[in-house]
Amino acid sequence: MWIGVVILSSVAVAVIWRADVNGWGSIAWLSGTIAMFFIRMPFAQQTAENKVALSRKDILEKVLLAGMSVSMMLLPIIFLVSGYLSFANYALPGWVTAVGGMGLLPALYLVWRSHADLGQNWSVTLELREGHTLTISGIYRHIRHPMYAGIWLLVLMQPLLLHNWIAGPTAILCFGLLYALRAPKEEAMMLEEFGAEYQEYISRTKRLIPGLL
């Protein structure tokens, strides 16, 4: 954890130093990234020792997760601290950037609430731990994948905050691919583990937006 804090602190200093060049949207992006780190880290530590009972983690899963790290972290950091990607910059009105900043709030809430409701059941990848229970309360009472909904909001806000065709919209493409390929596999894994109980849960909930998607 402390290595992550040191790295994040160094990135924060560099981003703040260049905020006059990159605009205040870079500070909003930085704030969201720091919030995500501190939301996830405690749960990652809590579940680190839990034994895996069922795994669907394969090469494709690893590639998709790596793509998310590159598009949501590496490319934005390169853009913000170095300016090497400035050839792909674009301009947006201030109010659009403000929408991006405000959009981070519900996104971070969904991510936090999802982690809090899952507790020991949470995993960063396609794995079920020993003693895994089906979570259908809290935010999960309304939608099946609130964490994905939160991340969708994060990646959709990223191009509004980082005005660069490489550092901004790439996250939408990478997460869209991950979601399209992973969500069906995740639900198949849950059906394998929980059977009729999960099938009934599917029948009365939507994946992302209550009553819609």
Side-chain angles (χ1 to χ4, degrees), residues 91-122:
L92 290 175
W95 68 267
V96 176
T97 305
V99 169
M102 290 186 292
L104 294 179
L105 299 177
L108 292 169
Y109 171 78
L110 284 169
V111 172
W112 168 76
R113 186 70 260 175
S114 301
H115 281 82
D117 288 341
L118 284 174
Q120 293 292 325
N121 294 325
W122 177 70

Side-chain angles (χ1 to χ4, degrees), residues 66-142:
M68 288 297 297
S69 296
V70 169
S71 63
M72 292 191 72
M73 288 292 295
L74 183 59
L75 290 177
I77 289 172
I78 291 173
F79 163 63
L80 292 173
V81 307
S82 71
Y84 287 154
L85 303 178
S86 59
F87 64 89
N89 285 359
Y90 55 80
L92 290 175
W95 68 267
V96 176
T97 305
V99 169
M102 290 186 292
L104 294 179
L105 299 177
L108 292 169
Y109 171 78
L110 284 169
V111 172
W112 168 76
R113 186 70 260 175
S114 301
H115 281 82
D117 288 341
L118 284 174
Q120 293 292 325
N121 294 325
W122 177 70
S123 176
V124 73
T125 188
L126 289 176
E127 294 176 341
L128 297 180
R129 311 288 183 159
E130 288 186 359
H132 194 106
T133 57
L134 180 59
T135 303
I136 57 175
S137 60
I139 192 71
Y140 285 86
R141 183 164 62 91
H142 306 287

Side-chain angles (χ1 to χ4, degrees), residues 13 37-38 49 57 69 91-92 121 128-129 131 138 154 164 176 183 210:
V13 170
F37 176 82
F38 284 104
E49 301 303 320
K57 185 178 180 180
S69 296
L92 290 175
N121 294 325
L128 297 180
R129 311 288 183 159
L154 287 174
N164 181 273

Side-chain angles (χ1 to χ4, degrees), residues 195-209:
E197 186 180 7
Y198 192 73
Q199 184 62 60
E200 189 276 333
Y201 176 60
I202 288 177
S203 70
R204 59 183 171 84
T205 55
K206 301 297 183 180
R207 279 184 175 174
L208 297 176
I209 302 175

